[in-house]
Amino acid sequence: MHTPMPEGLRLSQEIPDQVKLALADAVIVFGRIEQELIEIAWIMSNADLKQRLRIARAPTKENFVDIIEAVEQAEPGLKLDALKETVRQLADDRNLMVHGAWTMTNEKPWVVWHKFAEDTDSVIGEYFEPWRFERFMTKSLHLLGMLRQFHNILEAQTGVKTTSIPRSDAINSRPRGET
């Protein structure tokens, strides 16, 4: 997916508002996913304050994989590999969005993150068009709904409340700019 920037492209540093809003929406929903993952991990590990801080500071992918593997161990034969892969993909896309340098190439969003540098002569990046933002949001909102349900179940079963931030079972409002 990472490709050298084709020669002769028209580059612009002016990012359209719809791209900025899509980035903001993605960051907001992913932050909500991270919050749910952290608090689920707190409950599942019966974490004290020191453990809560360690969990909150761990990368999202690690927290999520740990949670999935704990669920798999609790249910013999349960395999959630597709779920793990989805979260890895979302986390990678979120990191690209947040840490990448955005420009427009021939009217399409192009993001460069030097983590993917392959040589000293090429600019390696990716197009990140509207369909890709929509795919990210669809998967993220679905995952967020699942996590909220699971979190509610864990809190009910354990009697442990992990947040004062209100959450709802229904995702009744997408971040701004979404329909």
Side-chain angles (χ1 to χ4, degrees):
M1 191 173 287
H2 311 290
T3 57
M5 183 178 287
E7 293 194 29
L9 290 178
R10 288 185 325 273
L11 296 175
S12 171
Q13 298 297 312
E14 296 300 317
I15 308 299
D17 287 345
Q18 68 267 21
V19 175
K20 292 176 186 177
L21 288 172
L23 285 165
D25 288 344
V27 170
I28 289 167
V29 75
F30 199 84
R32 292 175 183 165
I33 288 169
E34 286 180 306
Q35 175 189 338
E36 293 296 330
L37 289 171
I38 289 166
E39 292 175 7
I40 288 168
W42 289 351
I43 294 171
M44 292 183 70
S45 64
N46 196 25
D48 62 19
L49 180 58
K50 186 175 180 178
Q51 293 165 321
R52 285 180 178 213
L53 289 172
R54 182 186 50 77
I55 290 167
R57 292 176 180 152
T60 301
K61 281 194 283 189
E62 289 177 27
N63 276 341
F64 194 77
V65 170
D66 290 347
I67 291 166
I68 293 173
E69 289 173 353
V71 171
E72 286 176 325
Q73 290 171 3
E75 287 292 323
L78 182 62
K79 290 289 180 202
L80 299 172
D81 294 338
L83 186 56
K84 287 187 241 185
E85 184 53 37
T86 295
V87 169
R88 286 183 181 115
Q89 179 187 36
L90 290 173
D92 288 345
D93 279 352
R94 178 264 181 205
N95 288 341
L96 178 63
M97 286 183 227
V98 171
H99 298 293
W102 288 82
T103 189
M104 297 297 288
T105 59
N106 290 355
E107 311 300 321
K108 292 181 182 181
W110 179 273
V111 61
V112 173
W113 188 14
H114 291 304
K115 180 177 182 177
F116 303 115
E118 295 175 6
D119 58 48
T120 57
D121 298 321
S122 302
V123 176
I124 305 299
E126 300 180 22
Y127 285 112
F128 215 102
E129 297 182 72
W131 65 265
R132 192 161 171 196
F133 282 112
E134 185 57 37
R135 181 184 69 190
F136 180 90
M137 290 302 294
T138 298
K139 288 182 176 190
S140 293
L141 289 169
H142 182 73
L143 177 60
L144 180 59
M146 289 173 36
L147 291 171
R148 284 182 171 167
Q149 287 178 339
F150 186 54
H151 192 174
N152 288 339
I153 290 167
L154 286 175
E155 283 187 339
Q157 287 179 348
T158 63
V160 175
K161 186 174 185 301
T162 56
T163 186
S164 58
I165 299 172
R167 44 175 210 282
S168 66
D169 292 334
I171 300 172
N172 53 13
S173 64
R174 292 176 78 150
R176 93 189 136 140
E178 293 294 314
T179 56

